[in-house]
Amino acid sequence: MSKNVLVFTAHPDDHLCLAGTLMLLKDKKLVITEIVATGGEKGPWWVSKTERKKKFQSDELKTVRKKEISNASRIIGIQETIFLGMPDSKVVRDPQKIEDIV
């Protein structure tokens, strides 16, 4: 029987904070699934280290973030990523939100 790990994150790049641990768990043959609450559409995006892209539409940024997380997840060893589609910076912790996520 395989062992599973379920990771909850708020934004598409949050799993990077525990990437080393996730890679270790994958090496130990655990199956990793990540649930991402938002699309990360409120976060900044830079064209380069010195130039921030100022007119980036949120739907466009969500698309970029999904591509980024797909590549990072493959490298880390996350088998599946599930997006909940909640609006970035609008998630509150209350009983109804917890019930919605469950």
Side-chain angles (χ1 to χ4, degrees), residues 10-102:
H11 309 100
D13 58 352
D14 289 350
H15 64 234
L16 297 177
C17 295
L18 62 151
T21 300
L22 293 174
M23 293 171 89
L24 177 69
L25 295 172
K26 193 230 181 243
D27 288 347
K28 293 182 180 274
K29 309 296 184 215
L30 278 75
V31 177
I32 304 167
T33 300
E34 179 179 23
I35 296 178
V36 182
T38 73
E41 66 272 15
K42 294 284 185 178
W45 187 75
W46 287 265
V47 174
S48 67
K49 288 184 178 182
T50 56
E51 182 185 354
R52 181 175 173 178
K53 191 165 184 175
K54 299 191 188 309
K55 294 185 178 178
F56 210 95
Q57 300 299 315
S58 68
D59 285 344
E60 205 176 346
L61 186 53
K62 277 194 235 182
T63 300
V64 169
R65 295 284 189 229
K66 281 188 177 184
K67 286 179 187 175
E68 291 172 344
I69 193 173
S70 175
N71 291 333
S73 294
R74 184 177 29 78
I75 292 167
I76 292 169
I78 296 171
Q79 186 165 343
E80 181 181 11
T81 302
I82 300 166
F83 291 93
L84 297 181
M86 296 176 174
D88 195 4
S89 300
K90 303 272 189 210
V91 178
V92 294
R93 186 175 63 198
D94 63 28
Q96 183 60 51
K97 190 59 68 184
I98 293 168
E99 188 175 315
D100 292 346
I101 291 171
V102 171

